Structures are given as structure tokens and as C-alpha cells.
């Protein structure tokens, strides 16, 4: 049975000054009148009903998340008592979901991604779910790089089908293809490919090499698997995590929910090592395949991702909500409110205003946001 897990506990530090601890990125309405977490749930609802959508968040955000997602049952809100990264979040959630849906096949999604081609995305999820059930492995989605981005991890795929599928996905408009023929085309396009390796966030020079090589995809951070498969993988590659999870199971089996469960499990949760599921499992396992998808994806990880959403001016500047005049200025991202801005000789800057707060940053060093608090 296909279920969804939405990870919505992040702090969104890289989106200061727009985001705060109380209102991180997933609770911002960046590209429409909906918050990003609401857009994520609305996007998946045509395929997975609300009663099979689970949301993992933390105690500080759970009230705001519930207000945004009134359709999600309270019992489907998984509250992490402490933030211990995605290996703990996904392992703990898998433990709880398995108790409610014994044979669940889980698609793990971030709460703050942009997907422009929702119909194709849902078709890819549907096919990936069936593949994960049939092969009892982990399926992830990979994105063909459009630029040498240093803020993404990369997946290496050494398979000629990678280029063939990319060309066909661009040529064939799946949203206009229906019936058995359309289903067959989709299955052919979304064939899982063997992963040759996961690469950490690269230098700019290395990212350029990956693009030229043609066998590298951005790691989207989306995964599809049967919950028991993930529990087995954690037992094999993160045995300390698994021991903590076995102790947590005692409280999960008492049918505690919400904050009552979070309070009971806080001390045990603190025993989790803080590590991502990518480092802890995905980079080690041989039971993983990748499906390359072309769905207009961006993880909106930094302000640089606005280049994936908005068209730049003739000099490559992206400007929102302000009057911008420039000379010899290019490649800037200007997100301000009702300002008259004149720029001379300014290149590759990110300028973001929120009230009396202002961010000025070289866009190639935006990954250092966490260093200034």
C-alpha cells in the first residue's frame, strides 16, 4: 500500500531573513498563496489519500503544521522530540508507520521542493512504488543537472539508458498521453537504473566535471521503499540507530501519539547519532536504484534556486517586487519589497530584504549561511 512521508521538521536557516525558527522555509509562501508544505501535500493527494499521508516534524512546529494541513489526521503527525537528522527521522517514522500499515510502501518527500510537472511526478512515484515492492529495494529519483551546482549531492549512473530516457522524456509529453499506450511509455521512461555511487557536495570545478561527463544526476533526496526494507537496511548499516529504534518501539506499541509520545521518547531519541540517511544508508547499500526524472524539480535549498523558478532579465538578474536599474551588473538575485534599487558593477550577488533585515551574499558562497547564525 503506497503511503507518503513528508519531512517537515527543518529549520530553514539558509533562508534568513525570510525564515525564522518559528517560521522556517516549509511554512513560507514563496511562489504562490500556499505554503510550501501545503503545496507538497496538495501535489501528492491525487495519488495518495490524506489518511495515508504522514508528516514528520518537531514539537516547536507541530501546531503551525497542523494549521496548514487540517486534512491530515492527528495520528499521522509524527513528532520528533529532538532534531537528529534524516536517518533518525526516516527510521523512527518507518517504525511508527509499519505499526499502522504493516505492508506500507513509503515515498519520502521533503516539504519544501518545487515540482512544476505534477502529473509526470505522480506517474513516476506510482511506477517507482511498484518497482520497490517487486524488487524489495530502495528507489530514488535523480535530476539531470542544469548547472554546476555545489549545493547538491550527486548520483553517478553509468548506463547508456540515462541519456536515452532523458531525450525521450523531453520529447514525449506524458501529460497528454493516456490509456494503455501512455502507461507503457511511462513505464519505459521511468526504468530504474543501477546506482554507481553517491557523491558529496562538490567543488565548483568538480561540479563542472560532472556536467561534462554526462553520467551524473542531482540527488533529489526523495526515496521509495517498503518500510520493512528500510528497517532492514538501518539494522545492517546503522546498528546503533537500530538499537535505539528497538527501545523506542516499546513506547510506540503503547499506542501513544503526538506530544505524549514525544515526551516519553525524548531521552531515548537523544541516543541517535546525528547523521543523514544518505550518509548512513544510501551511500553504503547495494540495494538501491535511481530513476532519472524531468519534472521541473528544484529543492529550493538556497536563494539561488529562484533561478529555477523565475526568468531573468537580459543580464541574468532576477528581481522580485522592486524597481531595479543597473549598469554592468549581471547574475544577481534581488528579493526585496517595494524598493528603488540602482546597481553599478555588481555581479553574482544575492540581496534579500525582510522588514529591517537585509542579506547581502555572493551567490557562490551562499552555502556559508549557516556560519553566521
Amino acid at each position: 500500500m503506497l503511503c507518503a512521508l513528508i519531512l517537515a521538521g527543518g529549520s530553514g536557516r539558509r533562508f534568513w531573513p525570510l525564515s525564522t525558527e518559528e517560521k522556517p522555509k516549509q511554512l513560507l509562501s514563496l511562489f504562490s498563496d500556499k505554503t510550501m508544505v501545503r503545496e507538497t501535500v496538495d501535489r501528492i493527494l491525487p495519488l495518495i489519500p490524506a489518511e495515508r499521508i504522514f508528516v514528520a516534524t518537531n514539537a516547536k512546529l507541530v501546531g503551525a503544521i497542523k494549521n496548514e494541513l487540517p486534512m491530515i489526521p492527528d495520528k499521522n503527525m509524527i513528532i520528533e522530540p529532538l532534531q537528529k537528522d534524516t536517518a533518525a527521522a526516516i527510521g523512527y517514522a518507518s517504525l511508527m508507520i509499519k505499526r499502522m500499515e504493516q505492508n506500507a510502501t513509503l515515498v519520502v518527500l521533503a516539504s519544501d521542493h518545487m515540482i512544476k510537472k505534477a502529473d509526470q511526478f505522480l506517474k513516476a512515484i506510482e511506477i517507482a512504488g511498484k518497482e520497490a515492492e517487486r524488487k524489495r529495494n530502495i528507489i530514488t529519483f535523480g535530476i539531470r543537472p542544469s548547472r554546476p551546482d555545489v549545493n547538491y549531492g550527486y548520483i553517478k549512473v553509468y548506463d547508456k539508458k540515462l541519456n536515452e530516457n532523458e531525450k525521450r522524456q523531453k520529447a514525449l509529453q506524458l501529460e497528454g498521453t493516456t490509456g494503455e499506450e501512455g502507461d507503457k511509455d511511462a513505464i519505459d521512461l521511468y526504468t530504474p537504473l543501477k546506482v554507481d555511487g553517491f557523491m558529496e557536495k562538490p567543488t565548483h570545478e568538480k561540479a563542472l566535471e560532472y556536467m561534462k561527463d554526462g553520467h551524473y544526476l542531482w540527488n533529489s533526496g526523495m526515496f521509495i521503499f517498503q518500510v520493512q526494507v528500510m528497517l532492514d537496511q538501518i539494522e545492517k548499516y546503522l546498528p546503533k540507530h537500530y538499537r535505539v529504534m528497538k527501545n523506542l518501539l516499546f513506547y510506540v506499541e503503547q499506542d501513544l501519539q503526538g506530544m505524549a509520545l514525544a515526551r516519553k521518547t525524548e531521552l531515548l531519541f537523544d541516543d541517535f547519532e546525528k547523521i543523514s540517511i544518505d550518509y548512513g544508508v544510501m551511500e553504503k547499500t547495494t540495494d538501491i536504484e535511481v530513476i532519472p526524472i524531468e519534472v521541473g524539480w528544484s529543492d529550493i535549498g538556497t536563494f539561488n534556486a529562484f533561478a529555477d523558478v523565475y526568468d531573468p532579465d537580459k543580464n541574468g538578474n532576477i528581481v522580485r517586487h522592486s524597481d531595479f536599474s543597473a549598469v554592468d551588473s549581471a547574475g544577481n538575485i534581488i528579493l526585496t519589497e517595494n524598493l528603488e534599487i540602482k546597481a553599478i558593477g555588481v555581479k553574482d550577488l544575492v540581496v534579500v530584504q525582510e522588514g529591517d533585515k537585509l542579506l547581502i551574499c555572493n551567490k557562490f558562497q551562499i552555502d556559508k549561511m549557516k556560519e553566521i547564525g
Side-chain angles (χ1 to χ4, degrees), residues 8-232:
S11 59
R13 291 179 182 177
R14 289 182 293 178
F15 265 72
W16 187 91
L18 300 184
S19 66
T20 63
E21 287 190 5
E22 292 74 25
K23 193 175 182 180
K25 180 176 48 168
Q26 60 268 31
L27 290 171
L28 298 179
S29 302
L30 292 177
F31 306 111
S32 73
D33 58 353
K34 295 181 182 179
T35 62
M36 298 200 76
V37 68
R38 180 58 183 261
E39 288 206 13
T40 302
V41 170
D42 285 353
R43 187 183 302 126
I44 202 76
L45 275 173
L47 180 63
I48 303 173
E51 59 267 23
R52 298 208 307 270
I53 297 176
F54 299 83
V55 181
T57 188
N58 58 62
K60 185 180 292 186
L61 298 179
V62 66
I65 294 290
K66 282 185 175 181
N67 287 339
E68 284 299 314
L69 306 175
M71 74 292 287
I72 304 299
D74 281 352
K75 66 181 178 65
N76 290 15
M77 289 286 174
I78 299 171
I79 304 174
E80 302 164 46
L82 299 170
Q83 291 179 295
K84 289 288 186 172
D85 218 320
T86 53
I90 291 173
Y92 182 53
S94 295
L95 201 69
M96 295 186 64
I97 293 168
K98 186 174 186 292
R99 179 159 173 78
M100 290 183 264
E101 298 285 352
Q102 179 74 21
N103 297 313
T105 296
L106 200 57
V107 51
V108 177
L109 304 172
S111 58
D112 51 8
H113 286 184
M114 166 76 73
I115 304 286
K116 294 180 180 178
K117 302 175 183 178
D119 289 346
Q120 293 186 30
F121 181 58
L122 295 183
K123 177 58 71 174
I125 289 175
E126 185 178 11
I127 291 169
K130 292 175 181 177
E131 286 292 303
E133 290 174 2
R134 183 174 69 86
K135 296 181 178 178
R136 290 192 58 79
N137 68 353
I138 300 169
I139 305 289
T140 186
F141 291 138
I143 313 296
R144 172 68 76 179
S146 58
R147 60 182 179 274
D149 202 306
V150 301
N151 295 297
Y152 295 140
Y154 286 70
I155 302 172
K156 185 178 182 182
V157 183
Y158 194 75
D159 194 314
K160 65 180 182 180
K161 292 180 181 178
L162 175 61
N163 292 324
E164 291 174 1
N165 283 5
E166 180 194 17
K167 290 176 183 177
R168 292 186 64 209
Q169 284 188 42
K170 287 181 176 178
L172 183 65
Q173 298 298 316
L174 285 179
E175 57 263 72
T177 310
T178 58
E180 293 182 5
E181 181 180 350
D183 289 341
K184 183 180 184 302
D185 283 330
I187 291 169
D188 289 343
L189 285 175
Y190 297 127
T191 300
L193 306 176
K194 202 67 179 176
V195 171
D196 196 36
F198 280 80
M199 313 301 167
E200 296 182 14
K201 295 176 181 179
T203 62
H204 184 69
E205 292 74 19
K206 184 62 71 173
L208 278 170
E209 287 181 23
Y210 290 168
M211 283 198 69
K212 291 176 182 177
D213 182 280
H215 291 103
Y216 291 83
L217 301 167
W218 282 337
N219 178 6
S220 72
M222 297 181 279
F223 305 102
I224 302 94
F225 50 82
Q226 289 186 302
V227 286
Q228 187 58 54
V229 169
M230 178 53 67
L231 295 174
D232 291 342

Side-chain angles (χ1 to χ4, degrees), residues 298-309:
S298 174
D299 80 336
I300 316 297
T302 69
F303 288 113
N304 289 345
F306 276 66
D308 295 330
V309 181

